[in-house]
C-alpha cells in the first residue's frame, strides 16, 4: 500500500530526528524483523507508568497519544518518502496495545504483587498482535481504506479496541463462572 518507494533512512537519521525517533517507538521500530512486535513489546515499559494513573488520566493520555499520533505518524511517513504505513513506525502499536492493556485488572497493585496480572498482560499483548497482524473485519477495512496518519493509527486503534473488548468479555465470563462455583 505504498504511494511511492520508501526512502531508506539509517538509524542515525532516525534517532537524530525527534519526529522519526518517537514515531519509531524510541528506536524499537528499527528491529530488522518484526518491528511491530518489538515496538509493541517496548510499549510495555511506558505502560507500567501509565497503568499507575487513575482511569481518567490513563484514558486522557491515550486520547492525546492517539490524536497526536495521527499527526506524528503522518509526518514521519512523509519524511520517509510518503509511504502509506512504514513498518518501522510503531507509535500506532504503542497506542493500540495501551488500549488493549486497559483491560488488565488490578493494575494499581505493587509490581511484586502482580501474580496473575502478568497473564492478563500477556493475553492483551498476544490478542493485540493477532488482531494487528490478521486484520479481521473493520480492522482490515481501516488498513485498506484510510490513508495518512489517520490510516496508520486507526487499524491499530481498532485492534486495541478488539483486544480490550475480548479481554473484558473474558473477565466477565470468569466472574460469572466463579460466581456459579
Amino acid at each position: 500500500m505504498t504511494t511511492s518507494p520508501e526512502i531508506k533512512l539509517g538509524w542515525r537519521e532516525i534517532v537524530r530526528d525527534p519526529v522519526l525517533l518517537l514515531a519509531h517507538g524510541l528506536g524499537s521500530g528499527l528491529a530488522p524483523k518484526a518491528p511491530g512486535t518489538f515496538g509493541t513489546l517496548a510499549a510495555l515499559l511506558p505502560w507500567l507508568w501509565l497503568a499507575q494513573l487513575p482511569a481518567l488520566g490513563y484514558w486522557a493520555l491515550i486520547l492525546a497519544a492517539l490524536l497526536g499520533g495521527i499527526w506524528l505518524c503522518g509526518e514521519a511517513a512523509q519524511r520517509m518518502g510518503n509511504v502509506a504505513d512504514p513498518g518501522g513506525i510503531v507509535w500506532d502499536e504503542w497506542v493500540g496495545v495501551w488500549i488493549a492493556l486497559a483491560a488488565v485488572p488490578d493494575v494499581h497493585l505493587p509490581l511484586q504483587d502482580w501474580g496473575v496480572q502478568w497473564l492478563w498482560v500477556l493475553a492483551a499483548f498476544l490478542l493485540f498482535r493477532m488482531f494487528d497482524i490478521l486484520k479481521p473485519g473493520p480492522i482490515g477495512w481501516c488498513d485498506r481504506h484510510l490513508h495518512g496518519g489517520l490510516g496508520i493509527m486507526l487499524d491499530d486503534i481498532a485492534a486495541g479496541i478488539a483486544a480490550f473488548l475480548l479481554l473484558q468479555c473474558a473477565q466477565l465470563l470468569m466472574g460469572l463462572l466463579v460466581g456459579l462455583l
Side-chain angles (χ1 to χ4, degrees):
M1 190 161 115
T2 309
T3 57
S4 65
E6 185 172 348
I7 295 174
K8 297 291 183 189
L9 299 176
W11 67 271
R12 281 194 175 105
E13 290 91 358
I14 291 171
V15 299
R16 289 181 180 157
D17 183 329
V19 167
L20 292 174
L21 181 62
L22 190 56
H24 282 80
L26 302 177
S28 61
L30 295 173
K33 299 220 187 262
T37 299
F38 279 97
T40 304
L41 277 171
L44 296 176
L45 290 174
W47 174 77
L48 290 171
W49 173 79
L50 286 171
Q52 302 308 307
L53 296 173
L56 183 60
Y58 184 90
W59 287 108
L61 275 174
I62 296 297
L63 182 61
L66 187 162
L67 295 174
I70 294 170
W71 175 84
L72 178 73
C73 292
E75 180 64 23
Q78 286 281 353
R79 293 181 188 194
M80 296 179 73
N82 200 26
V83 178
D85 192 352
I89 291 180
V90 295
W91 182 255
D92 49 333
E93 273 83 6
W94 281 38
V95 178
V97 79
W98 291 341
I99 291 170
L101 289 164
V104 175
D106 299 324
V107 293
H108 290 90
L109 293 174
L111 288 179
Q112 66 268 21
D113 296 332
W114 266 41
V116 82
Q117 281 79 1
W118 289 110
L119 293 174
W120 288 103
V121 170
L122 179 62
F125 174 85
L126 292 174
L127 284 171
F128 171 74
R129 289 306 299 148
M130 179 190 73
F131 285 125
D132 188 30
I133 292 167
L134 298 177
K135 300 188 185 315
I139 301 166
W141 185 92
C142 291
D143 185 56
R144 290 186 305 275
H145 293 94
L146 301 175
H147 305 288
L150 181 64
I152 293 171
M153 289 294 296
L154 211 52
D155 67 310
D156 293 274
I157 299 309
I161 291 169
F164 173 85
L165 292 173
L166 197 57
L167 290 167
Q168 289 293 301
C169 289
Q171 289 177 35
L172 181 64
L173 183 61
M174 288 176 68
L176 291 172
L177 290 173
V178 168
L180 291 174
L181 301 176

